[in-house]
Amino acid sequence: MRLKLINPNTTKSMTDTIAAAARAVAAPGTEITAATSRSGPVSIEGHYDEAMSIVGLVDVIREDPAADAYVIACFGDPGLLAAREIASGPVIGIAEAAMHAASFLATGFSVVTTLERTRIIAEQLVRNYGMEHHCRRVRAIDIPVLELENPKSNARAMILKECEDAIAQDKSGAIVLGCAGMADLTRFLQERLQVPIIDGVAAAVKFAEALVGLGLKTSKRGDLAYPLHKSYKGMLSNYAPPTRPAGNGPNT
Ligand code: 2AL
């Protein structure tokens, strides 16, 4: 199968980290194509960043409409439902994937994310995904996303400490890593902590493989049907949804 792995921020080095984590767990028959958004923020750390990242994300999907599945590799799962509207294959967000994986492995998990403001957004995701009964707490180390790539930032030690606190104080049985840029920390943390450490990138790849293996696609009934044809004005005129044959055919 062909899996499109999308980093919706515009930092190529982060895409490389994400792609390595994805390829490390992919099945032999899974071909992973990693793409970095060409337009939008260098990191996604708030509602505005998320909104501005979605056009770049849509570009990547529109350029490769025949991929068997897509993974959105940002913990805010920006544009997840919009992506599902325009794609026919499954689209998996890493936050949703990680939380579901954690719920299979422990009765309670904690999320460890980057900034305090993304902590609040992750709490909203927990509610949106109906995970309130499973998520004990969302924690933040309060450093910016791109500082994860700075060896001098001490992020690795701060994340380890936060995970230890989550296990001791929240009594969580699993940890969800709350940023795609943490995907290279899974092994480091897993070797030091006695609970499952879940990187959403890896979890999303395996869920995508499972859904494709089951022959399942995104539902095209109801709200995830292809977008209704209409004109869009101004700088978004090229994004107007095309006409489709009766029966809601694929993107053209
Ligand atoms: C993220 C992420 O995963 N990538 C990015 O740019 N921002 N989310 C986060 N919560 O730190």
Side-chain angles (χ1 to χ4, degrees), residues 37-197:
S37 268
R38 282 192 308 276
S39 49
V42 292
S43 62
I44 300 170
E45 304 179 310
H47 302 292
Y48 184 80
D49 288 344
E50 284 194 7
M52 292 296 134
S53 74
I54 293 173
V55 169
L57 168 79
V58 164
D59 282 337
V60 175
I61 297 173
R62 291 205 324 175
E63 283 161 13
D64 190 2
D68 294 305
Y70 303 84
V71 167
I72 301 177
C74 171
F75 201 79
D77 292 351
L80 179 60
L81 293 176
R84 285 182 178 150
E85 282 189 37
I86 61 169
S88 61
V91 185
I92 315 284
I94 65 167
E96 196 175 22
M99 289 185 208
H100 280 90
S103 75
F104 297 150
L105 301 170
T107 51
F109 64 82
S110 295
V111 177
V112 175
T113 188
T114 50
L115 285 176
E116 172 58 21
R117 68 187 299 162
T118 59
R119 190 189 68 72
I120 298 167
I121 295 174
E123 282 181 346
Q124 288 178 333
L125 287 181
V126 167
R127 288 193 291 275
N128 278 349
Y129 295 154
M131 283 283 160
E132 300 100 314
H133 293 304
H134 301 281
C135 181
R136 297 235 164 97
R137 184 163 161 187
V138 182
R139 291 168 168 268
I141 54 168
D142 216 16
I143 69 159
V145 169
L146 294 184
E147 281 297 291
L148 293 172
E149 299 197 335
N150 175 5
K152 294 190 190 130
S153 72
N154 205 28
R156 188 177 270 247
M158 290 162 78
I159 293 165
L160 176 61
K161 170 78 170 60
E162 204 64 39
C163 292
E164 287 168 346
D165 288 351
I167 295 164
Q169 295 166 16
D170 312 344
K171 312 287 180 216
S172 282
I175 301 289
V176 164
L177 301 179
C179 182
M182 296 179 184
D184 58 344
L185 296 181
T186 320
R187 182 191 285 199
F188 167 80
L189 295 168
Q190 191 63 82
E191 284 171 358
R192 286 160 180 79
L193 300 166
Q194 274 70 54
V195 303
I197 307 298

Side-chain angles (χ1 to χ4, degrees), residues 14-27:
M14 191 166 286
T15 310
D16 295 342
T17 300
I18 293 164
R23 293 195 176 109
V25 299

